[in-house]
Amino acid sequence: MFRYELIHQEKYTGARLGRIITDHGEIQTPIFMPVGTQATVKSMDNADLHRMNAQIILGNTYHLYLRPGEEVMKEVGGLHRFMNWDRPILTDSGGFQVFSLGAIRKITEEGVKFISYLDGSRHFMRPEDSIRLQNVIGADIIMCFDECAPADADYEYTKHSMEMTTRWAKRCQQAHANPEHQALFGIVQGGMFDDLRRKSAQDLVAMDFPGYAIGGLSVGESHEKMYHMLDVTTPLLPKEKPRYLMGVGSVDALFEGVLRGVDMFDCVLQTRIARNGTAMTSEGKKVIRNATFERDFSPIDPNCDCPVCRHHTRAYVRHLIKCKEILGARLLTYHNLYFTLSLMEKMREAIAQDALLDLRTDVFKNYGIKKIGAYQND
Amino acid sequence: MFRYELIHQEKYTGARLGRIITDHGEIQTPIFMPVGTQATVKSMDNADLHRMNAQIILGNTYHLYLRPGEEVMKEVGGLHRFMNWDRPILTDSGGFQVFSLGAIRKITEEGVKFISYLDGSRHFMRPEDSIRLQNVIGADIIMCFDECAPADADYEYTKHSMEMTTRWAKRCQQAHANPEHQALFGIVQGGMFDDLRRKSAQDLVAMDFPGYAIGGLSVGESHEKMYHMLDVTTPLLPKEKPRYLMGVGSVDALFEGVLRGVDMFDCVLQTRIARNGTAMTSEGKKVIRNATFERDFSPIDPNCDCPVCRHHTRAYVRHLIKCKEILGARLLTYHNLYFTLSLMEKMREAIAQDALLDLRTDVFKNYGIKKIGAYQND
């Protein structure tokens, strides 16, 4: 089962309040999805994720293909059972990870050859392989195998890459063995070229996917450029289907994406900076590992009601991070994810009242964000 | 406040059921104390420790002295507040850690000079310093600064070391500024020499500490030898005070210690082997990271009702450990501590029924332990 319901669109922006219904429950959109690359959202357990109200998490086909591998996944009956997660899951196709390998992969029309970073073994992944793997993993939402061209790729390269991605999308659609329970999303590519983005969106929309992702953004271009590419793309996507902006999760980009009609986001930022000792707070990012916080016995974020902020101080968390204690990574990860999920909840509440621009003004001011390339209400 | 109540002693063994009352609550003995060296039981949070019913945890004066340091501890008002832990805490004096430094420390009658492993800075810790630090840290139970002689030290060295430890105990007692709220335990030393152990115990008992630790065991000697030293020592300790066997936590030694009248134990074994991928189970130790468990979808321990065993499989935990995911360390740490705390609870129940030897027979059989040097009921 997969259904998207558009509940409300803001009068003067593209922001949408919606609901996605899957076999594993409902997702209120717009939503941020914590990344659980290797069958775990780093340092969190399922109880943590439930408590912070993570509605859906991500898995990565590439990593799960290498470990624990297809056979284990098949035997256990998929990722939900493997990690005992009872809510929705989305899997990335493996495309982005494989392309990130750079020198140790080779792309052809047929698929991608790559060398495992774990043991140097050789692999070949075609669109059909990615879908077969994603069918075995069994996520509620799965992604087409795509090429994510670099931000600085030239027109010719990007055009060829985008067209191949569209051809691969067709192959993915044909290979998909479980469309009733797993919604396959198409991924719009086209780099930083308006006409290629439009062509990609139009061709994929014609193929009638149950949802659409916007890929190849936040890959090195400016935020201004990213927002422009969203301006070009989202109007071409069908209103009655969810839109997912891949790999984007900074506070400014979450607002700007939602204002342009994006419903879903994922990003490793929240969890990665946490492990390095940085907190996202209502007052902006704070590098908690800095000496400034050695004797600061106030909460990470005075305006946060998460268990970390209710129970622990900056000084304690700083101490743990300095000592490289696992608990330091845990506490900051929990807080950063909670902060982001709460922000999305506030956005949903604001959209219901046609007040997302007001919320943006407040949040940006406190967070210290300048509205560069920001969505204009005109 | 500090009080020990002996509730029941087994008819035919030295095993004791008791209760320790502190400012931060009661401790049912015999008990295992999880080690929280740097103001955290590695990978656990306070909610985890509450849920597994950890009654008391340890802190290490040496580590806390280096990080976050005395000034931070003073400013926050002690370790309970620093880590927001509301149950009893025991701090080690720093002696054991300092002596473990080997080449980078020098012992004299006055105290110990050592070099920080963190930044190479020079430090001097006297018994008075250790007590001052422990007063600042504010644990419910604090320890005398002692020298822990190596297992292979000769008679002369061990004798001198033991006598100095007794003199240091006197200085610790005199330096102790907060005896109403923090119980200072004496530490019996004397290496592997019966007469030195007896002399140490007698001299310390004469000084009337509220509790006694047995130090310098499990430092390389055989378990047989360790049990013999306990046989020599515990009968000399006052019945109306708690006894603490330092740094010991293997399943066999927990039983053998309790049977000889030990009330308290601590050990890093449980948490350390967890992080390396080894589980303590009712069927013995299992190296979960081994390939054997790749497709084993049964719980870590089929006879355990901890959340890890209820919710997760060996295959999943193995995957996490292989991927060096923090959650792998967390899940196994939780399980190993739960296993040990449950074992202590079973021991307490057995003692109440004069049936600890029967429990030992069962547990050793399933765990695969041979009774070498075991307590004899004769």
Side-chain angles (χ1 to χ4, degrees), chain B residues 102-319:
Chain B
I104 58 167
R105 50 87 179 153
K106 195 186 161 200
I107 307 164
T108 63
E109 181 71 29
E110 181 62 9
V112 184
K113 280 187 191 154
F114 66 94
I115 294 173
S116 162
Y117 73 97
L118 295 173
D119 60 5
S121 57
R122 287 162 188 280
H123 301 266
F124 187 51
M125 195 180 281
R126 300 167 307 141
E128 291 80 6
D129 298 313
S130 170
I131 297 300
R132 186 192 73 246
L133 288 164
Q134 292 188 79
N135 285 158
V136 169
I137 295 168
D140 304 271
I141 302 174
I142 67 178
M143 306 302 297
C144 284
F145 194 67
D146 62 331
E147 180 182 3
C148 177
D152 59 358
D154 65 22
Y155 188 85
E156 281 315 305
Y157 184 97
T158 308
K159 180 167 184 287
H160 172 265
S161 166
M162 177 274 286
E163 288 169 352
M164 186 176 70
T165 288
T166 302
R167 290 190 295 272
W168 284 3
K170 194 62 142 184
R171 288 165 60 186
C172 287
Q173 209 171 32
Q174 284 164 352
H176 187 16
N178 191 22
E180 285 200 16
H181 298 287
Q182 298 182 272
L184 174 64
F185 280 28
I187 304 179
V188 177
Q189 290 288 355
M192 304 304 150
F193 303 100
D194 295 10
D195 64 323
L196 299 183
R197 284 275 166 189
R198 284 197 197 97
K199 175 76 171 126
S200 173
Q202 283 157 357
D203 290 350
L204 292 170
V205 169
M207 291 163 65
D208 195 25
F209 286 98
Y212 290 92
I214 302 152
L217 293 180
S218 196
V219 290
E221 80 284 10
S222 69
H223 273 203
E224 211 165 352
K225 187 79 185 168
M226 171 165 73
Y227 303 151
H228 170 74
M229 299 321 299
L230 285 180
D231 284 332
V232 169
T233 308
T234 50
L236 300 175
L237 299 176
K239 279 202 182 316
E240 70 282 7
K241 294 181 176 174
R243 297 99 172 248
Y244 162 29
L245 177 54
M246 303 180 82
V248 170
S250 64
V251 169
D252 49 343
L254 290 172
F255 269 98
E256 298 303 329
V258 169
L259 285 163
R260 287 160 175 85
V262 173
D263 306 300
M264 304 159 70
F265 301 84
D266 80 284
C267 198
V268 295
L269 175 84
Q270 278 70 3
T271 44
R272 183 173 291 161
I273 64 174
R275 294 195 303 282
N276 291 329
T278 297
M280 298 169 78
T281 81
S282 58
E283 299 161 343
K285 275 193 221 168
K286 287 195 196 302
V287 184
I288 295 295
R289 66 174 297 126
N290 281 351
T292 329
F293 300 110
E294 189 181 11
R295 298 171 186 216
D296 186 337
F297 301 109
S298 61
I300 300 287
D301 183 347
N303 301 310
C304 178
D305 60 355
C306 85
V308 182
C309 290
R310 278 187 285 116
H311 299 317
H312 295 296
T313 63
R314 293 171 179 174
Y316 180 57
V317 174
R318 174 188 185 266
H319 164 75

Side-chain angles (χ1 to χ4, degrees), chain B residues 4 6-18 29-30 230-231 234-235 237-239 241 243 254-265 347 351 354-357 360 375-378:
Chain B
Y4 172 75
L6 177 58
I7 297 170
H8 175 68
Q9 177 166 340
E10 279 207 322
K11 273 184 200 156
Y12 306 110
T13 81
R16 298 140 50 97
L17 194 67
T29 60
L230 285 180
D231 284 332
T234 50
L237 299 176
K239 279 202 182 316
K241 294 181 176 174
R243 297 99 172 248
L254 290 172
F255 269 98
E256 298 303 329
V258 169
L259 285 163
R260 287 160 175 85
V262 173
D263 306 300
M264 304 159 70
F265 301 84
M347 284 199 210
I351 295 169
D354 295 307
L356 188 59
L357 289 170
R360 181 180 70 172
Y375 181 89
Q376 299 294 330
N377 174 27
D378 50 19

Side-chain angles (χ1 to χ4, degrees), chain A residues 39 42-43 48 316 325 330, chain B residues 39 42-43 48 316 325 330:
Chain A
K42 288 193 189 303
S43 86
D48 294 328
Y316 181 57
E325 284 284 356
R330 263 186 78 178
Chain B
K42 287 191 189 305
S43 87
D48 293 329
Y316 180 57
E325 284 284 356
R330 263 186 79 176

Side-chain angles (χ1 to χ4, degrees), chain A residues 308-371:
Chain A
V308 181
C309 290
R310 278 187 284 116
H311 299 317
H312 295 296
T313 63
R314 293 170 180 177
Y316 181 57
V317 174
R318 174 187 186 264
H319 163 77
L320 296 174
I321 293 282
K322 287 296 284 181
C323 293
K324 296 189 171 55
E325 284 284 356
I326 287 175
L327 185 57
R330 263 186 78 178
L331 295 179
L332 278 183
T333 298
Y334 190 102
H335 168 78
N336 282 356
L337 288 175
Y338 183 95
F339 172 83
T340 309
L341 293 170
S342 299
L343 183 66
M344 300 312 292
E345 196 181 342
K346 282 177 203 145
M347 284 199 211
R348 293 194 298 270
E349 288 165 6
I351 296 170
Q353 297 167 30
D354 295 308
L356 189 58
L357 289 170
D358 296 338
L359 179 65
R360 182 181 69 173
T361 302
D362 283 356
V363 170
F364 278 22
K365 188 179 146 213
N366 294 324
Y367 207 85
I369 299 171
K370 288 185 189 132
K371 292 187 194 174

